[in-house]
């Protein structure tokens, strides 16, 4: 089934496709399929084996882990052009994380077998795929650095800078609980951090929406490590 015009446009703007020549893009796009998920649907559950690489073309989802005692750690939010389930390209092991739709989500996906075949015959697609894996490793190292060396306020500031230019921080899309899961702390702690940032003039909170007032100051908080 042909992709919708919207999904095709989003895919062409991804870093993956921008690295390819026109012929390689055509080969890749021909293998893509499209589907959608409703709000709060579990797209992938930890332990589930799904042999596909996904790209989000509309909406917001989150990648997370749940501890045996029910504590959530959000690894990242994924939005237009972002990808997930890339680890199954390397092995056929079950998923090591959950992917849940925060709002209605539309995705494009390519079966691993199809992508692996393209990688064998097209070096540009091979390089673009390896970059996806490299980017994820770099992000996870950054996450470890955040949890190890940055204060909660610094972590919250980094989340604000990363997502404030989208609708992701609107109360209908992401809650303080979600932000706490991303920051690796409790919701009450995030609430105090946001209040402190507002009192100090870094942000403004109005009816669930957050507006950045002092972007330079927030970045200085992010750069400050303990």
């Amino acid at each position: 089934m042909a992709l919708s015009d919207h999904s095709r446009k989003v895919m062409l703007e991804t870093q993956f496709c921008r690295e390819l020549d026109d012929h390689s893009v055509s080969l890749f796009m021909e293998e893509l399929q499209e589907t959608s998920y409703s709000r709060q649907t579990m797209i992938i559950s930890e332990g589930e084996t799904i042999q596909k690489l996904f790209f989000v073309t509309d909406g917001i989802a989150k990648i997370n882990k749940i501890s045996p005692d029910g504590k959530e750690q959000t690894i990242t939010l994924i939005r237009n052009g972002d990808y997930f389930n890339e680890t199954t390209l390397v092995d056929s092991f079950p998923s090591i994380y959950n992917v849940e739709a925060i709002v209605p989500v539309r995705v494009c996906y390519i079966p691993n077998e199809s992508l692996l075949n393209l990688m064998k015959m097209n070096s540009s697609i091979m390089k673009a795929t390896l970059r996806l894996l490299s980017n994820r490793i770099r992000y996870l190292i950054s996450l470890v650095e955040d949890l190890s060396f940055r204060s909660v306020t610094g972590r919250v500031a980094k989340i604000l800078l990363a997502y404030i230019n989208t609708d992701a921080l609107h109360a209908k899309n992401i809650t303080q609980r979600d932000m706490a899961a991303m920051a690796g702390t409790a919701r009450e702690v995030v609430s105090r951090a946001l209040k402190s940032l507002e009192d100090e003039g870094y942000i403004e909170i109005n009816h669930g929406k957050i507006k950045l007032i002092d972007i330079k100051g927030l970045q200085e908080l992010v750069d400050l490590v303990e």
Side-chain angles (χ1 to χ4, degrees), residues 31-35 37 43-44 48-55 83-89 91 93 95 97 107-115:
E31 299 294 333
L32 288 177
Q33 302 177 54
E34 187 174 14
T35 190
Y37 298 89
I43 301 172
I44 297 178
E48 188 176 11
T49 302
I50 298 180
Q51 298 294 309
K52 301 173 184 176
L53 173 65
F54 295 84
F55 292 83
Y83 58 91
F84 60 93
N85 204 42
E86 70 286 347
T87 55
T88 61
L89 285 167
D91 57 49
F93 295 156
S95 175
Y97 50 61
V107 300
C108 288
Y109 64 89
I110 181 170
N112 285 356
E113 183 177 1
S114 298
L115 181 53

Side-chain angles (χ1 to χ4, degrees), residues 146 150 153-159 161 217-225:
D146 288 345
R150 286 193 173 87
T153 300
R155 281 176 254 162
V156 170
K158 187 173 182 179
I159 293 169
L161 288 171
L218 287 170
Q219 187 59 59
E220 290 174 351
L221 292 176
V222 173
D223 294 338
L224 182 66
V225 294

Side-chain angles (χ1 to χ4, degrees), residues 49-112:
T49 302
I50 298 180
Q51 298 294 309
K52 301 173 184 176
L53 173 65
F54 295 84
F55 292 83
V56 174
T57 58
D58 194 35
I60 305 167
K62 61 181 177 181
I63 297 177
N64 69 3
K65 296 274 290 186
I66 306 294
S67 70
D69 62 359
K71 183 179 180 180
E72 178 184 7
Q73 173 66 58
T74 296
I75 299 171
T76 188
L77 297 184
I78 41 182
R79 302 163 289 170
N80 284 9
D82 293 338
Y83 58 91
F84 60 93
N85 204 42
E86 70 286 347
T87 55
T88 61
L89 285 167
V90 181
D91 57 49
S92 57
F93 295 156
S95 175
I96 58 176
Y97 50 61
N98 305 298
V99 181
E100 181 182 355
I102 296 178
V103 296
V105 168
R106 180 165 290 277
V107 300
C108 288
Y109 64 89
I110 181 170
N112 285 356

Side-chain angles (χ1 to χ4, degrees), residues 125-203:
I125 293 177
M126 167 75 81
K127 291 177 182 178
T129 304
L130 291 176
R131 188 178 294 277
L132 291 184
L133 300 173
S134 173
N135 287 345
R136 184 68 75 201
I137 292 171
R138 289 178 183 276
Y139 175 79
L140 292 176
I141 291 174
S142 174
L143 179 62
V144 172
E145 179 184 56
D146 288 345
L147 296 176
S148 299
F149 304 124
R150 286 193 173 87
S151 66
V152 171
T153 300
R155 281 176 254 162
V156 170
K158 187 173 182 179
I159 293 169
L160 294 175
L161 288 171
Y163 297 105
I164 197 65
N165 290 327
T166 72
D167 290 331
L169 285 175
H170 192 287
K172 291 182 179 179
N173 289 345
I174 182 171
T175 64
Q176 287 188 15
R177 178 178 176 275
D178 293 323
M179 293 182 67
M182 295 179 70
T185 188
R187 184 190 63 77
E188 294 79 7
V189 178
V190 166
S191 179
R192 289 197 294 270
L194 289 172
K195 182 65 167 59
S196 175
L197 289 172
E198 184 176 32
D199 290 344
E200 294 177 23
Y202 292 104
I203 63 174

Side-chain angles (χ1 to χ4, degrees), residues 15 23 41 67 152:
Q15 179 184 357
H23 175 65
T41 297
S67 70
V152 171

